[in-house]
Amino acid sequence: MDKAIGSGQEEYLSQVYADDAVPDSDSEMELGRFKLQPGARLRTEYTDYYDFATEFDTVGRIHVPYAAPGGSSIWPFILQRYAAALAETATQNPWDCAFCLNSLQMEEAMPYREIRAYLNARLGQSEEYTNEQIYTALRSILQEAEGKKERPGKRTDRPQGMLML
């Protein structure tokens, strides 16, 4: 809305409203998503890392841009929950260990470039990620570490070797 200048600062007035439209990036910012079922209560507490993606009756903060050095990033609490869950798996992957320790000690948002570097190194890619893609990639790594799912293209149920005829 309008800009007010005073005391050496700029102040912007805003209005919060709920709709199902995609925010206009020039003048709007998403603060959260939710689908509330009739008679249900909206919650903001999360039981574990996977609970951030609960579709109904939970405030979804995965898509919300969070202020971080160098630009917007993902909500720090998501990274802290990921790191805590991954640390419990006793992962031996050096990228995972370094990222976990860094995430757990940070008191503010982790810069996007650090998250991107971790995901690209860990997944062997060279990509740019949206917050949703960051969450999904981290979930995939966590599931792999928990033994629930393999990384795409990686099969361990067959013996490794070469068959020569």
Side-chain angles (χ1 to χ4, degrees):
M1 296 174 69
D2 296 331
K3 176 170 96 171
I5 300 175
S7 302
Q9 301 180 63
E10 292 182 3
E11 181 180 300
Y12 292 87
L13 302 175
S14 62
Q15 178 180 1
V16 177
Y17 58 93
D19 65 14
D20 56 0
V22 175
D24 175 10
S25 61
D26 291 335
S27 61
E28 298 176 332
M29 181 184 347
E30 181 174 336
L31 300 177
R33 295 181 183 189
F34 63 90
K35 290 182 183 177
L36 192 59
Q37 299 180 91
R41 295 184 70 187
L42 191 61
R43 66 185 177 93
T44 58
E45 302 295 321
Y46 306 91
T47 58
D48 60 17
Y49 179 78
Y50 301 107
D51 196 30
F52 290 109
T54 299
E55 184 176 5
F56 292 100
D57 310 326
T58 305
V59 175
R61 294 185 173 140
I62 294 170
H63 299 58
V64 176
Y66 199 92
S72 70
S73 187
I74 196 165
W75 188 34
F77 191 57
I78 292 175
L79 292 181
Q80 291 169 352
R81 277 293 181 93
Y82 166 76
L86 190 60
E88 288 179 14
T89 68
T91 181
Q92 297 297 310
N93 184 296
W95 291 109
D96 292 345
C97 294
F99 189 78
C100 282
L101 293 173
N102 195 18
S103 296
L104 291 171
Q105 74 179 359
M106 291 203 67
E107 294 181 14
E108 66 259 351
M110 181 178 291
Y112 166 77
R113 67 184 178 277
E114 291 182 28
I115 300 168
R116 183 187 65 219
Y118 164 66
L119 291 176
N120 284 339
R122 181 63 169 81
L123 301 173
Q125 300 176 359
S126 181
E127 303 286 329
E128 295 290 324
Y129 302 90
T130 64
N131 280 3
E132 182 177 18
Q133 291 169 327
I134 290 170
Y135 177 83
T136 302
L138 294 174
R139 183 182 63 209
S140 177
I141 293 167
L142 181 57
Q143 287 174 331
E144 176 191 345
E146 293 172 336
K148 295 180 181 177
K149 180 179 144 182
E150 299 178 15
R151 279 188 37 204
K154 182 179 177 185
R155 294 191 49 121
T156 57
D157 58 341
R158 288 190 270 166
Q160 300 296 316
M162 184 184 314
L163 176 62
M164 298 179 66
L165 299 174

